[in-house]
Amino acid sequence: MRIVRSPAAMQRLALDWKRSGRRVGFVPTMGYLHDGHLSLVRHARGRVGDGGVVVVSIYVNPTQFAPTEDLSRYPRDWARDTRLCREEGVDVVFAPTDASMYAGRDAGRYSTHVVEEQLSRGMEGASRPTHFRGVTTVVAKLFNLVLPDLAVFGAKDWQQAAVIRRMATDLNFPVKVVVAPTRREPDGLAMSSRNAYLSPSERAQAVVLSRVLAQARAAVRSARRPLGAAVLRARLASLVSKQPDARVDYIEFFDPETLAPTARVGRGAHLALAVFVGKTRLIDNGRL
Ligand code: AMP
């Protein structure tokens, strides 16, 4: 397994692969890898085959964090991450530095961003107004450096995957955006690097996110007609409020393709939620 630090070296390598006709599968991550990330790696490997190349990027992208967010304490474990990638048969780990990705940013000499203006507005975009601009900008840069044929994203971040797919279509990136299912802990909690922030008591309470999904699914499936979003939201929020340290940021019902909010919630609608458990903000989503 090769570790590449420099964007220029990554792009040279990718151009060599292109010239020799090798298919490239790409999994962008912020590191602190868990089985959710590794399932994306396995997806990428399955799609590019043995003659193909799988690249994992490990980069905690500063531009997708607001100044008040957890950039400086975001968990990192380089030794473990590279060991897991090696064990998973990753060909290249691309781990650039901030200075190489955003040269001159602090001095006001970095000024190009990629902005998706529709799907990124609600939910995560409403709660974290500068987040998706950072995500689309860094993913566009990474696509230009890794030149992947396909890139795998997790359903865990449903809106993010939709925004990136739209960006790839709108900007004509020759990349197939693939979405792989959410991996969960045995009790239902979606795997996330941020779960490491949770105290034992918070970890126990965090299972409420997947319980909300299960309860919404049960309600929708047992109802004879679609349910009113406001009523269902209130019922689900009261489930969250039973946890002493949990606070709802949002609970939204929407069309899984267009992300348009739905006032009547029936089978096939999608639910996404963000909940603070203590100081940690967790998200989850699923089809009802
Ligand atoms: P992150 O390192 O959190 O930026 O995530 C990198 C990629 O892994 C994104 O495409 C995420 O959607 C995906 N991912 C994160 N958690 C999970 C999970 N539990 N199951 C599947 N994919 C995930």
Side-chain angles (χ1 to χ4, degrees):
M1 188 178 78
R2 226 160 130 171
I3 290 166
V4 177
R5 291 278 185 188
S6 129
M10 183 67 246
Q11 199 175 48
R12 273 197 304 275
L13 196 56
L15 286 167
D16 284 347
W17 292 331
K18 279 269 150 322
R19 279 191 279 270
S20 56
R22 296 180 79 179
R23 275 174 67 72
V24 179
F26 178 39
V27 179
T29 83
M30 299 204 298
Y32 210 71
L33 302 180
H34 51 66
D35 204 51
H37 297 114
L38 301 179
S39 74
L40 307 187
V41 171
R42 293 191 277 269
H43 243 81
R45 174 59 68 197
R47 296 252 183 165
V48 298
D50 287 340
V53 184
V54 174
V55 180
V56 171
S57 62
I58 296 180
Y59 181 54
V60 183
N61 171 42
T63 66
Q64 70 192 67
F65 289 79
T68 52
E69 293 179 350
D70 56 343
L71 173 63
S72 61
R73 62 191 193 101
Y74 195 82
R76 296 161 206 249
D77 191 339
W78 173 252
R80 183 169 175 277
D81 285 352
T82 48
R83 176 171 61 74
L84 290 171
C85 285
R86 203 169 278 121
E87 285 169 7
E88 211 54 64
V90 168
D91 297 285
V92 170
V93 168
F94 176 46
T97 59
D98 290 344
S100 64
M101 287 294 274
Y102 296 107
R105 190 167 81 100
D106 293 338
R109 279 185 282 103
Y110 182 97
S111 52
T112 303
H113 296 91
V114 176
V115 182
E116 192 286 327
E117 296 190 317
Q118 188 181 342
L119 304 177
S120 59
R121 288 248 162 96
M123 298 192 279
E124 289 302 287
S127 290
R128 307 177 68 192
T130 57
H131 173 65
F132 281 122
R133 176 178 108 142
V135 170
T136 41
T137 298
V138 80
V139 173
K141 288 167 71 68
L142 291 168
F143 281 0
N144 282 329
L145 296 172
V146 176
L147 306 176
D149 295 284
L150 68 101
V152 189
F153 294 85
K156 159 86 193 318
D157 299 275
W158 188 267
Q159 185 181 13
Q160 169 175 278
V163 167
I164 287 167
R165 176 174 285 139
R166 175 67 63 86
M167 175 196 82
T169 303
D170 287 354
L171 298 185
N172 309 94
F173 280 99
V175 180
K176 184 172 173 55
V177 173
V178 177
V179 180
T182 301
R183 301 279 294 196
R184 296 177 180 280
E185 302 291 353
D187 66 358
L189 177 66
M191 291 180 179
S192 165
S193 308
R194 289 190 167 98
N195 293 349
Y197 295 144
L198 301 170
S199 71
S201 152
E202 290 168 346
R203 170 64 187 81
Q205 296 176 55
V207 75
V208 75
L209 282 91
S210 59
R211 291 237 179 89
V212 163
L213 279 172
Q215 190 168 109
R217 206 169 274 140
V220 162
R221 292 186 181 189
S222 65
R224 267 178 289 125
R225 50 184 103 74
L227 303 167
V231 173
L232 184 55
R233 180 181 293 115
R235 265 172 64 185
L236 300 171
S238 81
L239 185 68
V240 174
S241 66
K242 292 205 178 83
Q243 304 298 325
D245 302 311
R247 179 171 60 81
V248 172
D249 184 5
Y250 65 77
I251 297 176
E252 298 287 349
F253 309 97
F254 57 93
D255 177 283
E257 304 301 323
T258 64
L259 308 190
T262 44
R264 313 284 309 164
V265 185
R267 267 180 111 107
H270 216 88
L271 161 62
L273 75 166
V275 172
F276 282 96
V277 181
K279 289 200 167 76
T280 304
R281 187 171 176 281
L282 301 175
I283 59 172
D284 203 347
N285 74 87
R287 190 186 147 95
L288 301 181

